[in-house]
Structures are given as structure tokens and as C-alpha cells.
Amino acid sequence: QLQASGGGLVQAGGSLRLSCAASRRTSSNNAMGWFRQAPGKEREFVSAISWNGGSTYYADSVKGRFTISRDNAKNTMYLQMNSLKSEDTAVYYCAASRFPVTSGKDFHYWGQGTQVTVSS
């Protein structure tokens, strides 16, 4: 129902754009978001977007560098990641909520992750 893609290896300072393809049932009228998990660490919230894209939320660690967006006509969410740092290295997961808006909690559907590796 959720499939993340777009990860890869990039040098510090570079950019990547992640995509999350969702089924219409999963994404329609629901908030969506991105999380990440680095080796040896717990999964952490990265960003969330409301059902219509009108509200967005970011973790402090990515504010000003990452931009979340969605195209409901394509049932796809994106995460544009700029000025990448080595500490951004993690597996990135996309998620969907049953609610139209959430700031980072209340996610109920999860996709497989995509690896992002930032070399310094």
C-alpha cells in the first residue's frame, strides 16, 4: 500500500528526492509522513503533510533543508532533501495516517524503507 523509493548514495551537501507511492485507499484524505531510522537508533519523525498539503511539519533537524509535498492526483508523496549531512544517513520510511492532519503521531500504515547514505 506504501512504497518508498529514491534513496541512494550521495555526498554531503548533495540532494535527493524520495517518493512514496500509495494506494488511493491509503492516501486519500489522510495525512502522510516520513520517518527514518539510523543504525543503532530508534525510528524518528522527519516530516508530515496534511491530506491536502495545506499543513506541513518538520523535525528541527531537517527544517530549512527538507521539503515535503504530495500530489494527490498521483497518490504520491515526496521528500526533497537538500544540503544533506552524514547524520541524515538512515533508512527512510513513508507512512500514512487514518486522520487528515497529524503533526507527527498517529500513523497507522507503513511502507518498506529506502536507504539514504550520505558520505562525508
Side-chain angles (χ1 to χ4, degrees):
Q1 293 182 326
L2 293 166
Q3 181 63 55
S5 62
L9 174 64
V10 63
Q11 289 186 335
S15 299
L16 279 176
R17 188 176 82 153
L18 305 184
S19 298
C20 176
S23 65
R24 183 176 180 181
R25 176 178 176 272
T26 301
S27 64
S28 181
N29 297 324
N30 293 334
M32 298 182 71
W34 291 96
F35 289 74
R36 66 187 182 186
Q37 187 168 20
K41 295 187 177 181
E42 294 187 353
R43 186 174 62 194
E44 64 174 358
F45 168 76
V46 174
S47 183
I49 187 167
S50 62
W51 71 278
N52 63 352
S55 296
T56 57
Y57 307 89
Y58 297 93
D60 288 343
S61 59
V62 306
K63 279 181 182 177
R65 299 188 298 122
F66 290 10
T67 302
I68 192 170
S69 62
R70 65 189 295 167
D71 184 341
N72 286 342
K74 297 181 179 179
N75 298 317
T76 303
M77 173 181 64
Y78 305 97
L79 185 68
Q80 178 67 42
M81 306 186 295
N82 299 328
S83 302
L84 283 162
K85 305 175 182 179
S86 57
E87 50 262 45
D88 295 318
T89 295
V91 177
Y92 283 71
Y93 299 89
C94 61
S97 173
R98 295 193 189 109
F99 306 129
V101 182
T102 178
S103 61
K105 302 178 181 179
D106 302 317
F107 283 93
H108 308 95
Y109 309 103
W110 296 87
Q112 293 183 330
T114 184
Q115 176 71 47
V116 172
T117 303
V118 184
S119 63
S120 57

